Structures are given as C-alpha cells and as structure tokens.
Amino acid sequence: MKRTHTCGELGKGDLGKEVCLQGWVRFSRDHGGVAFVDLADRYGTTQVVFDPENLPEGVDAKAIDGAMKGFSRESVVSVVGIVRDRVPGTEDPRNPTGEVEVMITSAEVLNRSAAPPMEVGDQKEGVLPSEDVRLRYRYVDLRRSEMVHALEFRCKFLSLAREYLLKNKFLEIETPMLGRSTPEGARDYVVPSRLHPGKFYALPQSPQLFKQMLMVGGMDRYFQVARCFRDEDSRSDRQPEFTQLDMEMSFVDSKDIQDTVEGLLSYVWKGMYGTELETPFLRMPFEEALEKYGTDKPDIRFGLPLVTLTDVVREAPYGIFQTVISRGGVIKGINVKGSLAGDRIGRNEVDRYIEHAKKLGLGGLTWMRAKDGTLESNIVKYFTPGIIADLMEAMDVEDGDLLFLMAGPEAQTVAAAGQMRLKLGQDLGLAKADDHRFLWLVDCPMFEVDPVTGAKGAYHHPFVLPTGDPHGDGVGGECFDLVLDGNELGSGSMRIHNAETQREVFRILGMSEEEIDEKFGFFVEALGYGAPPHGGIALGIDRFMAVLLGKETIRETIAFPKNKRAQSPFDGSPETIPDDKLEELQIMTLVIDDLEFE
Ligand code: ASP
C-alpha cells in the first residue's frame, strides 16, 4: 500500500479509517505485550500500536510481530492500520496527532537504519552531540524538528520575498558563478581553467558587477537569491558560501530602494507572523550610531546610550583621564539607571564589569553611584561640584543610578563602550528575543582611512556613488545598511553610473591606470554605453534567518553548512585532488603551512 497520510495529519476526524503511514521509527516501548511506536516524518509524529489482543479477525499477528522486530531506531517503515482513540488519560495535548493512534494491521521494514549517531526525537532534545558529529551525519540531524522548522521558515521567507518582488516588476535573473573577481573586501575562491592553463575564474563574492551590467542592459529591476563566496579569515559566524537576496533598480534614489525593502519586509512579515511591521524604519546617521551606541550596527531594542564626557571632565585633575585626554583619547560613559537595576548591581558584579572592560582592551572602568543628589565613588574627590553637576546633567543622573566611565584611545574606547552596553543589555535582560527593531544606518562615509598607512579603502565597495567631490575631506557615500537587533543584514547604495567618476574613485583607492584597465576596464567601458542612474541592496539571508529564529549561529539555518574551519564534515571537503587531475589543470600544489584557526 502507498502512504495515505503523513505522520502529522491524523486526528479525531479520521477515526475508524484504514490508513498507511510511512516514516522513521523514533521511539518505541512495550507495555505488557502492547508495543507503542512513535512514527515520525517532517510533518509530525503519530503513535502506532501493535495490540495483539484486539486485532480484527483474520490479521496475522505473528507476521506483524516478526516485521516489528526490525523496527530499530531511525529505520524506515511502513504500517497499515485503523485509526482509533487513545486510551483516556494517555492523550498527548502537545502533539497535534496526540488524541489518536493507529492500530497496526500490517507492518513492513522498508530500510533498516544503523544505530543513529544522535537522538532525533524532541523528548531527547538538549543532548545533542558536538557540532562536527551533527554535520557529519547532517541527514540524521535534519530530521530533528528544530532543523525542519528552520528550513521551512527559510523557505517560506524566501518564497514570500520572491512573490513580492515578482508582483513589483522585478525580474529574477541568474548571473555567472564563474567570472572575474568582485571586490567585496575578501579573498576569492578560485576555479582553475583547464582550457586556459594558468588562468582562473573567481567565484562571485557577490553579483555586484553583473547586476549593475543588467541595469546598463535595461533590465530595470533585478533580483536573485544569490550564492556568494568569500574566503575570509575564520570568524566565528561566517560561511565560505552564503546566500544574499540581491536586488538592483534603475532610475531610483536611496529612499526608493529603502522603501522597496520596507515594502518587501512588511509583506513577508504579514505572511510569516500575520502582523504589521512598523514602517518606516528609523534612519540613524552613521556618526550618531558610533556616538550613542559605539557601533555601526546598533541594537535599539533598549536604551543605555553612551555619552561622550571628554569635555565635561577635561579640567578634573584625575590622573587617568588627564593622561588619556592629553593623548587625544576620549571618555565615554553609560548610565545604568536605578530603574533598570543599576541600584541592584552590587560591588562583586561591578568588579566583574571591571574585568570585562579589561578583556575589551580598556585599562579598566571608573564607576560612581548617584545618591542624595550627588555622586559617590573614590574618585569624586577629584571633581569640583561644578564638574559633578555637569556630569550629572550630561548623563541624566537620578538617585540610584550607576555610572560606568571608560577612557582610552578613541576608536578602541568607542567600540569597547559599545560592547559594554551590549553586555549590560544582555545581563539585565533588556533585549527581548521576540522584539525586533530594524533601522537604516545612513550618511555613511565613502572611504575608510587606514590609521597606519593613511591609505583609503572603500567603506562599502568602490561602486558607491559619492555624495560630493570624491577628493573632498570626509566625503560621504550614497550608501546605507539595514540593521536588525544589532546585526547588519545588508548594505545598499546608489552606484556611480558615470565612467569618469568611477575611474576617479579607483584612482583614489590607489589603483594605477593600468590596474584599472586590467581589472575593471570592461566595467568602466560599459558605464560609458548609457548606464542609467541605479542602485540596489543585498540582504544576508543566513544571518536574517538566524536573528529571526533566535539561533546562535547561521549554521543552524543552512542545510549543509561548513564548520568553523570552513570544512564540511559530511563530505570531507575540501580535499586533495589526484595528481593526474592536477596535471590536467597544469597545477602544482605546495603546502607551506597549516592555517591556524581560532
Ligand atoms: N554587493 C553588496 C554586498 O555584497 C551589496 C550591494 O551593494 O548591493 O554587500
């Protein structure tokens, strides 16, 4: 018999029906000669029962018994039986099929499983083996309901996004995997060309160049669920290949692109959660994000803003502050309001925050408490009443508040203060997992300047339209980031569509005319053949899913991810290539050293 229902389908409405279920044996137990088996598939779990005493006339109990001897865990089986009520008191209200069971009238093992490397059933959740074991046996791990949910969620998200984009005149277009390098700030994964020995294709770091060419080609609105490849040094939550929802539009401005993304996400939100997404998203200038949150991807689910106090305490004869200020450093403060538990953070916890500050690279942490309308700490003696009053005003201090002050070189202190804010937010439970806050980071710079060499690099990438003369000091870029709960989910921008401006930006980035011609000649040339004003964005789908699903790592949202060392424990890649294959490609390998990973 063929399967009549999935394992997540049967209920009271099916009582008395003869059904055939096929799935995996998740769990079985014997109660006084009656055998209970949880039969599972992607859709759910149904209890099937071998009840020899109550079998209908003519059913061969021995044959069932014999077949069920092969019902080992995770074996694939087929059972035919009659749907009946569970014995009163044994219903499982957490399971949608939990009111009924199937009394087996015939059973068959379709494929026996070796002893599984992990428990798959929900009742055993939490005793998972190491991630490498899970990835090695990913096909078993994928049977767990958590993995099923993550992949279903991802699929639904992408199909709703696709629906919205298609309704809004976007064309889904595939771009090449084998091409030239796209500069997105990482190393390339390269593919040797057999037909052109010594030459290599690069896998795309993003479809950036091609999507811009599609605009020159008049496609007007493009999108792609695009696989991107970046060879980056191991960072805990990156993947060598990842997925972007990549978009590009012609004859638009930055706001049109942002509005389109807000429309898209509202549509997806409604479809996923049945609720309205609040739009427009907050737009926060880059400078404000650094000033108040110490990062370009602020988590705005909670307050605890950073305050710059350098000028407020400039005259205080407190050694550490004096030294830092004389070296051009900054003093940043956080007010942990008494109402947010500042008055409950005791001395021991303060000491732990001091240790944490040291781990973040700061010399330490200066702290004060507000009491009886003034500040208490062993350093207030260095502060005049006037400075204390200014400090209290700048930090909006009330009795019960706990103040943390951090001092040091600017970039490091701003970043560390941002991290300290996040830690406090986490420790005090200020960011709720089901509260999501989007924001647009706007007014971003065009270039980043290397503090050591003074060389300019692109803040996003070299195709961003500058807001003014690209040689101008601190010139901005027409670019923006989408941030969700402290995670950067994507970057977008208006692009340069004038060939000469594009050449000029390449020059500012330190490229010679020959280099520009060699690497990007084809691209600059294309801009000269009627490139329309255009811009776009790409959303990082793996991270997006991880944030919405509350996962610690993006690996939980990808069917077959690489591990932290960029290896696949499942198929053993990357692997060596036999000598004859290398010869064919005219490649010799030379292993210089093993790469060290964290
Ligand atoms: N190509 C960019 C990236 O991968 C996104 C964009 O500018 O559209 O970040």
Side-chain angles (χ1 to χ4, degrees), residues 372-383:
D372 301 332
T374 186
L375 295 176
E376 284 189 345
S377 101
N378 52 4
I379 68 150
V380 282
K381 57 178 180 267
Y382 298 106
F383 295 177

Side-chain angles (χ1 to χ4, degrees), residues 206-226:
S206 79
Q208 186 66 33
L209 299 177
F210 288 107
K211 67 173 172 173
Q212 290 195 236
M213 291 304 95
L214 287 172
M215 296 304 106
V216 184
M219 289 300 133
D220 196 57
R221 289 178 161 214
Y222 139 96
F223 83 96
Q224 179 178 198
V225 179

Side-chain angles (χ1 to χ4, degrees), residues 184 205-208 211 230 244 246-248 460-461 491-493 495 536-538:
E184 296 280 5
Q205 291 190 33
S206 79
Q208 186 66 33
K211 67 173 172 173
R230 296 186 192 173
Q244 289 188 341
D246 194 43
M247 300 156 60
E248 199 72 9
H460 267 187
H461 51 55
S491 306
S493 58
R495 326 296 188 186
I537 187 167

Side-chain angles (χ1 to χ4, degrees), residues 80-96:
V80 176
I82 313 291
V83 183
R84 71 179 190 189
D85 272 320
R86 288 207 193 177
V87 173
T90 67
E91 301 92 345
D92 179 1
R94 287 164 312 160
N95 185 349

Side-chain angles (χ1 to χ4, degrees), residues 134-302:
R134 286 180 55 205
L135 294 183
R136 161 86 176 73
Y137 298 98
R138 190 57 148 186
Y139 41 84
V140 177
D141 190 44
L142 286 175
R143 292 180 204 156
R144 295 187 310 109
S145 56
E146 225 184 314
M147 286 309 304
V148 172
H149 175 62
L151 295 186
E152 283 179 347
F153 186 91
R154 183 182 175 118
C155 171
K156 185 162 181 200
F157 185 99
L158 284 175
S159 60
L160 286 164
R162 193 174 251 124
E163 223 169 81
Y164 179 85
L165 291 166
L166 293 174
K167 275 187 197 162
N168 284 276
K169 297 199 180 76
F170 282 80
L171 281 184
E172 184 168 15
I173 304 175
E174 290 159 275
T175 54
M177 288 282 118
L178 299 177
R180 242 175 196 276
S181 176
T182 13
E184 296 280 5
R187 291 189 191 91
D188 291 316
Y189 279 99
V190 294
V191 179
S193 157
R194 183 182 57 82
L195 294 178
H196 303 281
K199 298 204 167 168
F200 295 82
Y201 300 99
L203 297 179
Q205 291 190 33
S206 79
Q208 186 66 33
L209 299 177
F210 288 107
K211 67 173 172 173
Q212 290 195 236
M213 291 304 95
L214 287 172
M215 296 304 106
V216 184
M219 289 300 133
D220 196 57
R221 289 178 161 214
Y222 139 96
F223 83 96
Q224 179 178 198
V225 179
R227 195 62 66 81
C228 304
F229 303 84
R230 296 186 192 173
D231 183 359
E232 292 176 293
D233 291 333
S234 161
R235 283 206 236 154
S236 62
D237 208 17
R238 295 280 174 116
Q239 283 283 300
E241 55 180 309
F242 61 95
T243 304
Q244 289 188 341
L245 180 59
D246 194 43
M247 300 156 60
E248 199 72 9
M249 305 161 80
S250 293
F251 306 110
V252 290
D253 59 23
S254 290
K255 181 162 183 311
D256 295 322
I257 301 168
Q258 293 163 9
D259 287 350
T260 301
V261 172
E262 291 183 7
L264 165 89
L265 293 177
S266 303
Y267 183 82
V268 170
W269 220 255
K270 190 88 209 222
M272 303 290 294
Y273 300 111
T275 55
E276 301 293 335
L277 190 61
E278 206 176 300
T279 56
F281 301 158
L282 181 70
R283 279 155 170 88
M284 186 184 291
F286 177 82
E287 289 297 340
E288 182 184 334
L290 281 193
E291 170 74 17
K292 284 204 196 148
Y293 300 93
T295 172
D296 55 5
K297 39 180 194 284
D299 187 345
I300 52 166
R301 286 174 298 173
F302 62 94

